[in-house]
Amino acid sequence: MSERETDQAGPSLEGLRQRLTAFAAARSWEPFHTPKNLAAALSVEAGELLEIFQWLTPEQAAAVMSDPDSAHRVRDEVADVLAYLLQFCTAVGVDPLTALDAKIDRNERRFPVPGAEGGADGGSGVAAGPDVNRGVTG
Amino acid sequence: MSERETDQAGPSLEGLRQRLTAFAAARSWEPFHTPKNLAAALSVEAGELLEIFQWLTPEQAAAVMSDPDSAHRVRDEVADVLAYLLQFCTAVGVDPLTALDAKIDRNERRFPVPGAEGGADGGSGVAAGPDVNRGVTG
Amino acid sequence: MSERETDQAGPSLEGLRQRLTAFAAARSWEPFHTPKNLAAALSVEAGELLEIFQWLTPEQAAAVMSDPDSAHRVRDEVADVLAYLLQFCTAVGVDPLTALDAKIDRNERRFPVPGAEGGADGGSGVAAGPDVNRGVTG
Amino acid sequence: MSERETDQAGPSLEGLRQRLTAFAAARSWEPFHTPKNLAAALSVEAGELLEIFQWLTPEQAAAVMSDPDSAHRVRDEVADVLAYLLQFCTAVGVDPLTALDAKIDRNERRFPVPGAEGGADGGSGVAAGPDVNRGVTG
């Protein structure tokens, strides 16, 4: 992973992951950072990101970054979600990039590009992401 | 970001982000991928990751990766969380790495390494991560 | 609480709470039902309810109960959320009805009916429920 | 539902539901209270309840109500979760008590009391509540 760490274009995922590990170690926070606690914290932070949008109309939501305070809040919650995701991955020994790469591979087989048989579902919203609703695949 | 994209050590965050964008575009899913919907989806997936751990004892949680089925499920949910986080960031124009880097900078000032005044809180759990509870900072 | 229990108009909240307690006891599930686990489970189930709506347009969301499968899923997730909320309340010794009653009292003082000073915020979405965003009240 | 409303033992669920409806109407908040927004808000509040517990050890979590500030916070979040659940139910026309009653009926058939075949799963945590993990039932 050394190339990621030395990326001169900006902070790298691996560099940030290591920085978070050192940050927690310096403050003796490791005992709190169990997989279960970190999964809970990740979920809590994702809720805080959603909270920004919960009452917004689509138009207001689309403009959220044009207000400096909202924009700061969005960046702050994105950072928290990513931080806990990386710390969770450290705790369980998962490489998130490899995991996502493999998932996209699976989804490319599972949701063929329309023209193939999956096309009719495109407008239903049930398959509008890399994950699908239980109702469809369960 | 070109160095990240061409990282030979494995998939890069930027490469995966672009792959997700192309994946959604090929299936005409962009209309679903509003910031609000993606924030909701991110929260839902974080909940699915937490679900794996909700009834586990600390010992069972620590061993979650030693069972192949659980390990697969963990990797799958990590991938979903990261996917929606990246897609959310694309939708609002936020660079998650820069956001996290800035947040760690802020937290280093906010939580000085013990020896300084922050030390006494270490055991309370209120400051056990890059984010803190509202009760403390609000 | 005897009147609630013997309500002939249908199942009562207190009756259901007791039924859940007996259900868990008969299966020796109490050791799992710690406050922390139940709070996690409640959050997971709330995420499953949200999942039903995550990709829906406002029009589709408004029609969710007209499809029998979706309607069943909604009722099922509502039941799960309420079940874990009641079990959580049992675990910590909180009466949810008294808690909500007190909260509405507080919110009536906090959000005076428009005509008073709170009116101008009505359209911003920041105060669109019994809870408010941290940005406003924190 | 008149008996619930007039329950002299304290506030009733139906009475609170109606009070919430009147509260929102007086403030012209109904346009925000779509099923999708309320499901998001419910999920956000459930996350806030979980946040109280995220770093706590089992011992600390068990003692959460003995600290007045934590106890207030727990009651406050319980109230918020119940409020949004009731408002969601109003928006979609679901009776939460009937829904839960029916779910417990289903679960009694699905998880026979040990002595029957379900017993061996008791320690696995996979069936430790009225809902079960997808991995088991999916």
Side-chain angles (χ1 to χ4, degrees):
Chain A
M1 297 193 177
S2 58
E3 286 181 78
R4 282 184 221 157
E5 291 170 50
T6 58
D7 184 351
Q8 298 180 5
S12 72
L13 195 69
E14 176 58 19
L16 290 169
R17 196 187 66 75
Q18 293 181 14
R19 207 177 157 198
L20 288 167
T21 300
F23 185 93
R27 286 152 188 81
S28 302
W29 288 350
E30 298 104 327
F32 300 108
H33 288 189
T34 64
K36 185 169 177 165
N37 284 0
L38 290 165
L42 173 61
S43 175
V44 168
E45 294 304 325
E48 295 188 2
L49 182 62
L50 177 58
E51 188 183 22
I52 301 171
F53 295 92
Q54 63 186 350
W55 306 120
L56 301 188
T57 62
E59 293 71 31
Q60 290 172 323
V64 76
M65 300 307 287
S66 57
D67 173 66
D69 286 346
S70 298
H72 176 77
R73 227 179 130 196
V74 167
R75 278 192 210 97
D76 205 56
E77 299 300 347
V78 162
D80 286 337
V81 169
L82 182 56
Y84 284 127
L85 180 64
L86 291 177
Q87 291 179 102
F88 175 85
C89 286
T90 298
V92 297
V94 164
D95 180 336
L97 299 178
T98 303
L100 178 52
D101 197 49
K103 179 79 187 248
I104 301 176
D105 286 346
R106 287 198 297 279
N107 277 343
E108 286 181 338
R109 291 189 296 272
R110 202 156 135 196
F111 302 104
V113 172
E117 79 274 24
D121 277 347
S124 73
V126 293
D131 181 69
V132 290
N133 289 338
R134 244 156 309 144
V136 180
T137 60
Chain B
M1 296 193 176
S2 59
E3 286 180 77
R4 283 186 220 153
E5 292 170 48
T6 58
D7 184 352
Q8 298 181 4
S12 71
L13 196 68
E14 175 58 18
L16 290 168
R17 196 187 66 74
Q18 292 181 13
R19 208 177 156 198
L20 288 167
T21 300
F23 184 92
R27 287 153 187 81
S28 303
W29 288 350
E30 298 104 328
F32 300 109
H33 287 190
T34 64
K36 185 169 178 167
N37 285 359
L38 290 164
L42 174 61
S43 176
V44 167
E45 293 305 324
E48 295 188 3
L49 183 62
L50 177 58
E51 188 183 21
I52 300 171
F53 294 92
Q54 64 185 351
W55 305 121
L56 301 188
T57 62
E59 294 71 33
Q60 291 172 322
V64 75
M65 301 307 287
S66 58
D67 173 66
D69 285 346
S70 298
H72 175 78
R73 227 179 130 197
V74 167
R75 278 191 211 97
D76 205 55
E77 299 299 348
V78 162
D80 286 337
V81 169
L82 182 55
Y84 285 126
L85 181 63
L86 291 177
Q87 290 178 101
F88 174 84
C89 286
T90 298
V92 295
V94 164
D95 180 336
L97 300 178
T98 303
L100 178 52
D101 198 48
K103 178 78 187 249
I104 301 176
D105 287 347
R106 287 197 296 279
N107 277 343
E108 286 181 337
R109 290 189 295 272
R110 201 157 136 197
F111 302 106
V113 171
E117 80 274 25
D121 278 347
S124 72
V126 293
D131 181 68
V132 290
N133 289 337
R134 244 154 308 143
V136 180
T137 60
Chain C
M1 297 194 177
S2 59
E3 286 181 77
R4 283 185 219 154
E5 291 170 49
T6 58
D7 184 351
Q8 296 181 5
S12 71
L13 194 69
E14 176 59 19
L16 290 167
R17 197 187 64 75
Q18 292 182 13
R19 206 175 158 199
L20 288 167
T21 300
F23 184 93
R27 285 153 189 81
S28 302
W29 288 350
E30 297 105 326
F32 300 109
H33 287 189
T34 65
K36 185 169 178 165
N37 284 0
L38 290 165
L42 174 61
S43 175
V44 168
E45 294 304 325
E48 294 187 3
L49 182 62
L50 178 58
E51 188 183 22
I52 301 171
F53 294 93
Q54 65 186 349
W55 304 121
L56 301 188
T57 62
E59 293 72 32
Q60 291 171 322
V64 76
M65 300 305 288
S66 58
D67 174 65
D69 285 346
S70 298
H72 175 79
R73 229 179 128 197
V74 167
R75 278 193 210 97
D76 205 55
E77 298 300 349
V78 162
D80 286 337
V81 169
L82 181 56
Y84 284 127
L85 179 64
L86 291 177
Q87 291 179 102
F88 174 84
C89 285
T90 298
V92 296
V94 165
D95 180 336
L97 299 178
T98 303
L100 178 52
D101 198 47
K103 179 76 186 252
I104 301 177
D105 286 347
R106 287 197 297 280
N107 277 343
E108 285 180 338
R109 291 189 296 272
R110 201 157 136 197
F111 303 107
V113 171
E117 80 275 24
D121 277 349
S124 74
V126 292
D131 181 69
V132 291
N133 288 338
R134 241 156 311 144
V136 180
T137 61
Chain D
M1 296 193 175
S2 58
E3 286 181 77
R4 283 183 219 155
E5 290 170 49
T6 59
D7 185 351
Q8 297 180 3
S12 72
L13 195 69
E14 176 58 19
L16 290 167
R17 196 186 66 74
Q18 292 181 13
R19 207 176 157 199
L20 289 166
T21 300
F23 184 93
R27 286 151 188 81
S28 302
W29 287 350
E30 298 105 326
F32 301 109
H33 287 189
T34 64
K36 185 169 179 167
N37 284 0
L38 290 165
L42 174 61
S43 176
V44 167
E45 295 303 325
E48 294 187 3
L49 182 62
L50 177 58
E51 189 183 21
I52 301 171
F53 294 91
Q54 65 186 348
W55 306 120
L56 301 187
T57 63
E59 293 71 31
Q60 291 171 321
V64 77
M65 300 306 288
S66 57
D67 173 64
D69 285 348
S70 298
H72 176 79
R73 226 178 131 196
V74 167
R75 279 192 210 98
D76 205 57
E77 299 300 349
V78 162
D80 286 338
V81 169
L82 182 56
Y84 285 127
L85 180 63
L86 291 178
Q87 291 180 104
F88 174 84
C89 286
T90 298
V92 297
V94 164
D95 179 336
L97 300 178
T98 303
L100 178 51
D101 197 50
K103 179 77 187 251
I104 301 176
D105 286 346
R106 287 198 296 279
N107 277 345
E108 285 182 337
R109 291 190 294 274
R110 202 156 135 196
F111 303 105
V113 171
E117 79 274 24
D121 276 348
S124 73
V126 292
D131 182 67
V132 291
N133 288 337
R134 241 155 310 143
V136 181
T137 59

